C-alpha cells in the first residue's frame, strides 16, 4: 500500500472529480490520502471530503499564502475546529502551516511578521493538542527551524522538502519527517534527488501535493494522487531498492509521522 501524505483533494482544479480521483488512487494502491486545509473557508470542506471518500484523512490549519487575508479571529475558529475534530478519527494533525518567503510581498514587513505570528500560534496549538504538523517551508528553512526549536511539537512532515543536508538533519532531530514528490522525478533536480537517495529511509514520506508539483511525465498537466506509486518507483530507482520495500517503508514512516492514522480506520 501507499500513502499520499499531502494532497489538496478539495482544490478547485479538480472540479467535481475529487471523489473519483480518490477512487482511482485507491485502485492504484494509495490507501491513504492526507488532505490539508488552507484557510478557515475550507475547514469543513476537507473534513466532509475525507468522510465522503473511503481512503482519506484531513488536517486543519491556515496556510502561509492565506495568512495575508486571515484575521486573528480565524485562529480562534481554528482552535474551536481542532477541539471538536479531536473526536473525529479522520482528523490527523495541524496543517498546512508554515512560512513562505518566496513571494516577495510576504518576505517584507508587515506580512513577514504576520506569517511568523500565525505560524507560532499554530505550533502552540499543535503542542497543546499533542498533534503533528504539516509544514510548508519555502525559502524559510532556518526560520522554521528556529520556531520549531522554541515551540516543540510532536513531529509531523516538512512537505515538498527542498533544503540542505544539514537542514534535513535538523528537521529529523526535531522529530519531523520529510516529504518527497513530483520534484524528485525531474533529472535536473539534482539536490532533491541526492537528498532522496541519501537521507535515512526512515525519514522519508511520499506526497503528490496534487494538483500542484506534477511529476515529470505529467508536467505541465495537473497532478493527481494516483501518481504516488510511480513517484515511489523513482525513489526505488534512486535508492536501488525494491518497489515493495519503498511502499512498506514510506507507509510505515507516514504512520510514525501521523500517529492518529493508526486509529483512523483508513488504510488498514
Ligand atoms: Zn500544500
Amino acid at each position: 500500500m501507499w500513502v499520499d501524505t499531502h494532497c489538496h483533494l478539495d482544490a478547485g482544479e479538480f472540479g467535481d472529480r475529487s471523489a473519483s480521483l480518490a477512487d482511482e488512487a485507491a485502485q492504484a494502491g494509495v490507501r491513504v490520502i492526507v488532505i490539508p486545509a488552507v484557510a478557515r473557508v475550507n475547514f469543513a470542506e476537507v473534513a466532509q471530503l475525507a468522510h465522503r471518500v473511503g481512503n482519506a484523512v484531513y488536517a486543519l490549519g491556515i496556510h502561509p499564502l492565506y495568512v495575508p487575508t486571515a484575521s486573528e479571529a480565524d485562529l480562534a475558529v481554528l482552535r474551536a475546529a481542532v477541539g471538536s475534530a479531536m473526536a473525529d478519527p479522520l482528523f490527523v494533525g495541524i496543517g498546512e502551516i508554515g512560512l513562505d518567503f518566496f513571494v516577495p510581498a510576504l518576505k517584507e514587513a508587515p506580512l513577514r511578521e504576520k506569517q511568523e505570528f500565525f505560524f507560532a500560534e499554530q505550533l502552540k496549538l499543535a503542542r497543546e493538542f499533542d498533534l503533528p504538523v504539516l509544514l510548508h517551508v519555502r525559502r524559510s528553512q532556518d526560520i522554521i527551524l528556529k520556531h520549531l526549536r522554541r515551540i516543540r511539537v510532536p513531529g509531523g512532515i516538512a512537505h515538498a522538502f527542498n533544503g540542505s543536508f544539514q537542514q534535513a538533519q535538523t528537521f529529523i532531530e526535531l522529530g519531523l519527517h520529510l516529504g518527497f514528490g513530483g520534484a524528485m522525478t525531474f533529472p535536473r533536480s539534482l539536490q532533491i534527488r541526492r537528498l532522496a537517495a541519501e537521507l535515512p529511509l526512515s525519514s522519508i514520506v511520499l506526497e503528490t501535493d496534487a494538483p500542484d508539483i506534477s511529476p515529470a511525465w505529467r508536467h505541465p498537466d495537473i497532478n493527481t494522487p494516483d501518481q504516488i506509486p510511480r513517484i515511489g518507483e523513482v525513489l526505488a530507482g534512486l535508492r536501488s531498492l525494491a518497489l515493495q520495500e519503498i511502499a512498506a517503508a514510506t507507509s510505515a514512516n507516514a504512520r510514525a509521522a501521523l500517529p492518529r492514522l493508526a486509529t483512523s480506520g483508513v488504510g488498514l
Side-chain angles (χ1 to χ4, degrees):
M1 69 166 263
W2 298 93
V3 180
D4 184 350
T5 61
H6 199 108
C7 173
H8 296 279
L9 194 59
D10 65 315
E13 287 91 328
F14 293 137
D16 58 3
R17 292 166 59 221
S18 297
S20 57
L21 289 171
D23 246 18
E24 285 160 29
Q27 274 156 37
V30 183
R31 303 280 295 279
V32 182
I33 298 170
V34 182
I35 315 171
V38 296
R40 167 183 182 165
V41 290
N42 83 334
F43 292 170
E45 209 173 326
V46 296
Q48 282 159 13
L49 182 56
H51 281 273
R52 195 146 58 86
V53 303
N55 56 332
V57 295
Y58 67 98
L60 295 175
I62 301 169
H63 188 294
L65 295 180
Y66 290 80
V67 162
T69 52
S71 72
E72 265 191 75
D74 293 3
L75 288 169
V77 171
L78 173 63
R79 195 172 189 292
V82 168
S84 38
M86 290 304 286
D88 182 351
L90 298 189
F91 172 63
V92 298
I94 301 293
E96 175 172 357
I97 65 172
L99 297 172
D100 194 314
F101 295 149
F102 176 74
V103 180
L106 296 184
K107 214 173 104 176
E108 315 293 340
L111 288 179
R112 184 186 183 98
E113 287 72 16
K114 191 177 179 189
Q115 279 200 78
E116 290 201 50
F117 172 74
F118 273 71
F119 180 50
E121 289 302 305
Q122 294 183 93
L123 288 179
K124 289 178 200 162
L125 197 62
R127 187 176 60 184
E128 178 188 340
F129 285 93
D130 197 28
L131 290 165
V133 291
L134 302 177
L135 299 179
H136 174 103
V137 189
R138 204 165 170 216
R139 302 269 169 95
S140 58
Q141 307 275 348
D142 290 330
I143 299 171
I144 293 256
L145 287 169
K146 184 191 86 181
H147 283 279
L148 287 174
R149 278 194 207 93
R150 199 164 57 84
I151 306 167
R152 295 296 172 105
V153 296
I157 297 166
H159 120 80
F161 186 74
N162 184 11
S164 68
F165 273 88
Q166 200 190 341
Q167 287 160 337
Q169 195 51 48
T170 312
F171 275 104
I172 294 167
E173 280 162 19
L174 288 165
L176 276 290
H177 285 76
L178 308 171
F180 288 85
M184 175 178 69
T185 67
F186 289 86
R188 266 182 269 172
S189 301
L190 295 178
Q191 169 72 356
I192 289 177
R193 286 163 76 88
R194 225 157 53 82
L195 287 162
E198 294 173 22
L199 287 173
L201 182 57
S202 60
S203 66
I204 293 178
V205 295
L206 293 176
E207 61 168 66
T208 58
D209 198 24
D212 298 327
I213 320 191
S214 286
W217 53 86
R218 265 288 174 93
H219 198 76
D221 289 339
I222 62 170
N223 198 2
T224 48
D226 63 347
Q227 298 304 302
I228 282 286
R230 202 164 160 195
I231 291 170
E233 253 175 63
V234 172
L235 182 61
L238 288 171
R239 299 190 70 106
S240 305
L241 287 174
L243 189 61
Q244 276 321 308
E245 249 176 297
I246 292 294
T250 55
S251 297
N253 298 344
R255 285 190 288 267
L258 307 171
R260 283 173 65 98
L261 269 184
T263 50
S264 67
V266 173
L268 301 172

